[in-house]
Amino acid sequence: MKIAVINSGSSSIKFQLFHMPQGEVLAQVLVEKIGESSSQTILKFGEHKIIGNYVIKNHHDGLENIISMLKEHQIFEDFTALDAIGHRVVHGGEEFKNSTLIDERVIKTIQELIPLAPLHNPANLEGILVAIKKAPFVKQIAIFDTAFHSHMPQEAYLYALPYEMYEKHKIRRYGFHGTSHAFVLKEAAIILQKNVGELNLITLHLGNGASACAIENGISIDTSMGFTPLEGLIMGSRSGDIDPAIIFYMQRALGLSVDEVDSMLNKKSGLLGICAKNDVRTIIEVDDEKSKLALDMMVRRIKKYIGAYMALLGRVDAIVFTGGIGENSSYIRDAVLENGFTHGIKILVIKTNEELEIANECFSILKK
Ligand code: ADP
């Protein structure tokens, strides 16, 4: 069975072709800088890496280009060779608790959720619409970043705001990185030789964006990202948790606009805001005062979330580190675990694979 996974961003398309259920990657294509003169397509298969420098005007061109490169290198003939296309969709709101076959209604709902994810859902939707046009007879499946967290109890997902903010305006914690937390949960179950449904874990996805998740009996019961991916841990360029009144102060006393504050908190804060760098590798190497401070702050925040989730869960079978930083940086892992407060809990480092998780989801939907 051949399943393609599409992660369509505002200026990029990441495409992977899987042979399922083995999970073997047959090809990977990255289309970058869509709409710019420097756009390019990079195809990788086996040991090969081929760069196509066609100008990609839009997502339609991008997908067209992917197909022609795959054809040219005899990886597949056309989309009819596929059993399904799995699409990453960032926001599934309260509507989607599971991955789902895409039909008119699903498209309409993803569209209606755009106000909740104005940067991501339009690009995800664009990828879906183009794929349907190119491959109308292939099953298209949506996999949502929020779905894994959709079973959190109300006391976890509600903010202590007037209740109508939730009821009327859907303001609540949704959580993100769900495919990654779900993937490492299943991998942890294999490593620990337990059923997913009996595992209590704290999973830490530490990449450029970062989130922690408390998993009880295989279900996400709390997570650090909230209404948007801004809440929680200190990230590459996002502040994570701050006193919300700082935002009023910035507007009233410093005269910043809503957009300026939004951009500051999302793009100029976090590690970048403290030490002017957001790549943890560089920050560790540089080792000046501000870099050390930025890392100490990030580590402290992670510790606080682990402590909180240990209290919520009672029993924790393992703490899982994943994402670029979690997988690669023993400096950060050691700093987080320093002082032995997790004594007796297993520590796992698991490489995440969100694309494979999406392919697995597609496979299980096709099997039904
Ligand atoms: P994204 O959220 O963009 O998918 P990744 O999960 O790829 O991000 O993680 C990117 C982060 O991983 C960067 O901050 C980078 O510094 C960090 N990283 C990657 N390799 C290492 C390493 N060997 N040591 C420390 N940090 C690393």
Side-chain angles (χ1 to χ4, degrees), residues 205-209 278-281 284 323-325 328-329:
H205 177 104
L206 310 176
N208 223 341
N278 67 352
D279 188 315
V280 168
R281 270 168 299 201
I284 292 172
I325 300 167
N328 299 303
S329 181

Side-chain angles (χ1 to χ4, degrees), residues 297-310:
M297 289 170 68
M298 183 175 75
V299 165
R300 185 185 185 88
R301 183 74 55 84
I302 298 169
K303 263 176 154 2
K304 283 166 82 168
Y305 269 92
I306 296 176
Y309 290 171
M310 282 167 66

